[in-house]
Amino acid sequence: MTSLAEIMETMGQTSSLPLYQLLQRALREAIDKRIFGPDEALPAERQLASELSISRITVRKAIDGLVDEGLLVRRPGSGNFINTRIEKNFAKLTSFSEDMRARGRTPRSVWLKRSEGTVTPEEALRLRLSPGAPVYRFNRIRFADDVPMCLEYATIVASALPALDAVDVSMYEALEKAGNRPVRALQRLSALLLNAEQAALLQAQQGDAGLAVERLGFLRDGRAVEFCRSIFRGDMYDFVAELSTP
């Protein structure tokens, strides 16, 4: 609590935000700095109010806002916890690395295979390429901090990147540097049960629920540049989309 109180006091010296918003910012920073661990309950609202010398109404309003954002999850009878599940907006074309950094997580990869070759019949059909067209393939495990989140199997049109080793952590960052980042995509989501190989790579159990996402990314001129199939842990990821009437 001392660290959270210090964060809030420091922020309060330079901010005129309402008190509940100040507490929200302080809680976000405390979570980013790992003051509260992912499996640890936050102090009770009564304790937070007492330690920070603010009202319980203010504490409740701050926490309600963070619950609505998805940063915290309220478990009846247990308290408020950091939400370890990742919400991915299905309507926004962002990379895995961007999604993780936006949530204060550190993205990294373990490469399974990087290779160059020519398109398979399926890839040629999806990417609208001629038989024999050169492509790069990137297969890896994607991590958030030290937690494996998904398996990624991506095929990129070779002309979109300067070289096979141009991709480091983020494939989209590499494509952006080359001026070939996708601006729109078609995505398909389906459910599956992890097989033995997938489960071992994702540190899960065979038969656990998973999510398969296929993405076909397009450049501004309409050319397809990326065909990617990712297998996500079902216990870690939620895909959401905002809907509206026509």
Side-chain angles (χ1 to χ4, degrees):
M1 279 305 305
T2 302
S3 297
L4 178 61
E6 289 175 350
I7 291 171
M8 193 166 174
E9 182 180 357
T10 300
M11 288 182 172
Q13 293 172 357
T14 57
S15 175
S16 58
L17 287 172
L19 203 53
Y20 81 94
Q21 291 184 357
L22 198 63
L23 178 54
Q24 286 178 339
R25 285 194 174 186
L27 284 168
R28 288 192 192 98
E29 184 168 330
I31 290 169
D32 288 344
K33 291 181 175 179
R34 304 295 194 270
I35 292 172
F36 302 120
D39 297 319
E40 178 184 355
L42 295 185
E45 293 176 7
R46 183 188 300 275
Q47 181 182 349
L48 282 169
S50 175
E51 293 284 348
L52 298 173
S53 300
I54 57 179
S55 72
R56 288 189 65 185
I57 294 175
T58 299
V59 172
R60 171 59 65 93
K61 188 174 182 179
I63 289 177
D64 284 348
L66 296 179
V67 169
D68 290 342
E69 289 179 17
L71 184 63
L72 299 178
V73 59
R74 183 172 282 124
R75 299 176 187 170
S78 299
N80 300 306
F81 292 79
I82 299 169
N83 190 359
T84 55
R85 295 181 69 88
I86 300 296
E87 279 198 358
K88 167 66 176 175
N89 190 331
F90 215 49
K92 290 186 177 180
L93 185 53
T94 53
S95 71
F96 177 89
S97 296
E98 289 166 340
D99 289 340
M100 295 307 105
R101 289 171 183 147
R103 290 162 177 78
R105 313 284 288 272
T106 302
R108 67 180 181 90
S109 301
V110 170
W111 289 101
L112 300 174
K113 184 179 181 181
R114 282 200 279 194
S115 63
E116 49 187 310
T118 57
V119 287
T120 65
E122 181 189 11
E123 291 167 345
L125 180 64
R126 298 294 186 95
L127 292 167
R128 304 172 191 173
L129 295 174
S130 302
V135 292
Y136 295 135
R137 295 188 180 89
F138 304 95
N139 302 346
R140 52 187 174 166
I141 310 172
R142 308 306 307 273
F143 287 78
D145 300 324
D146 294 319
V147 179
M149 304 295 288
C150 75
L151 306 175
E152 183 181 271
Y153 305 93
T155 302
I156 304 296
V157 177
S159 60
L161 290 170
L164 182 65
D165 60 3
V167 177
D168 183 17
V169 176
S170 174
M171 186 167 60
Y172 269 29
E173 287 178 4
L175 287 168
E176 187 167 13
K177 287 180 181 178
N180 291 310
R181 176 170 175 148
V183 297
R184 69 179 183 90
L186 296 176
Q187 293 193 119
R188 182 187 300 272
L189 173 67
S190 58
L192 55 73
L193 298 179
L194 300 178
N195 61 31
E197 179 184 4
Q198 293 164 345
L201 292 171
L202 291 173
Q203 298 177 20
Q205 298 295 318
Q206 183 177 355
D208 281 356
L211 296 167
V213 178
E214 286 190 355
R215 183 176 68 240
L216 185 62
F218 297 89
L219 300 178
R220 197 171 301 278
D221 62 8
R223 287 179 296 149
V225 70
E226 167 211 20
F227 176 55
C228 181
R229 187 168 192 262
S230 300
I231 308 296
F232 291 86
R233 286 177 54 169
D235 63 337
M236 289 290 186
Y237 246 83
D238 290 319
F239 286 85
V240 298
E242 182 178 347
L243 304 178
S244 61
T245 56

